[in-house]
Amino acid sequence: MSSDAIAGLHEVHNLLVSFGDAPDIRRAPVLEGAAEKVAASATELVDVTEPEDLQMRLLWAVRSLEAARKAGRAHRRNPLTRPLSHARFALRIGAAQGSLHVVLAALDPENTPPVPVHEEK
């Protein structure tokens, strides 16, 4: 198992966590290169067999990151669909963050924070 690949996944996960509970779509440009970093880590971890769905979860993270970047571009380009772009962006950031969290919890449990629990008010 490559420590560089895991470090790259931690870096992208920390970037996604920095968006917080209400991701700001105007910060979409900071996602540049994140999908590529996850894809590169996936190729380094291709021989890892546990968890079974590791490659699939990394693929979902890559697709979610690309969709979030696409929503950010649509937000800047088309003012009529901005409310939808905000929702898509937040959904995709959350999906990528969740996928990476599950992967990191399996590969590096001692350095992965627990899943945050939000209490309803």
Side-chain angles (χ1 to χ4, degrees):
M1 198 167 0
S2 172
S3 61
D4 291 337
I6 293 173
L9 294 176
H10 273 295
E11 184 179 327
V12 174
H13 183 261
N14 291 338
L15 172 67
L16 296 173
V17 168
S18 75
F19 278 92
D21 290 339
D24 184 2
I25 198 166
R26 292 173 295 199
R27 287 189 57 213
V30 301
L31 294 175
E32 198 66 40
E36 291 80 8
K37 188 173 285 193
V38 173
S41 296
T43 58
E44 290 183 40
L45 297 170
V46 75
D47 59 338
V48 176
T49 58
E50 285 297 320
E52 288 180 4
D53 60 349
L54 174 85
Q55 292 296 322
M56 187 60 65
R57 289 189 183 275
L58 291 172
L59 173 66
W60 290 335
V62 168
R63 286 185 178 169
S64 292
L65 288 165
E66 289 172 348
R69 285 181 31 213
K70 182 178 176 183
R73 287 191 306 270
H75 178 265
R76 287 189 305 273
R77 207 175 41 243
N78 192 351
L80 293 176
T81 61
R82 284 187 179 161
L84 288 175
S85 296
H86 280 282
R88 284 186 189 121
F89 184 76
L91 175 71
R92 295 308 181 165
I93 290 293
Q97 183 180 348
S99 292
L100 289 178
H101 192 274
V102 169
V103 168
L104 288 171
L107 296 177
D108 192 20
E110 56 275 349
N111 293 322
T112 303
V115 176
V117 177
H118 297 284
E119 296 180 20
E120 291 186 30
K121 296 178 184 177

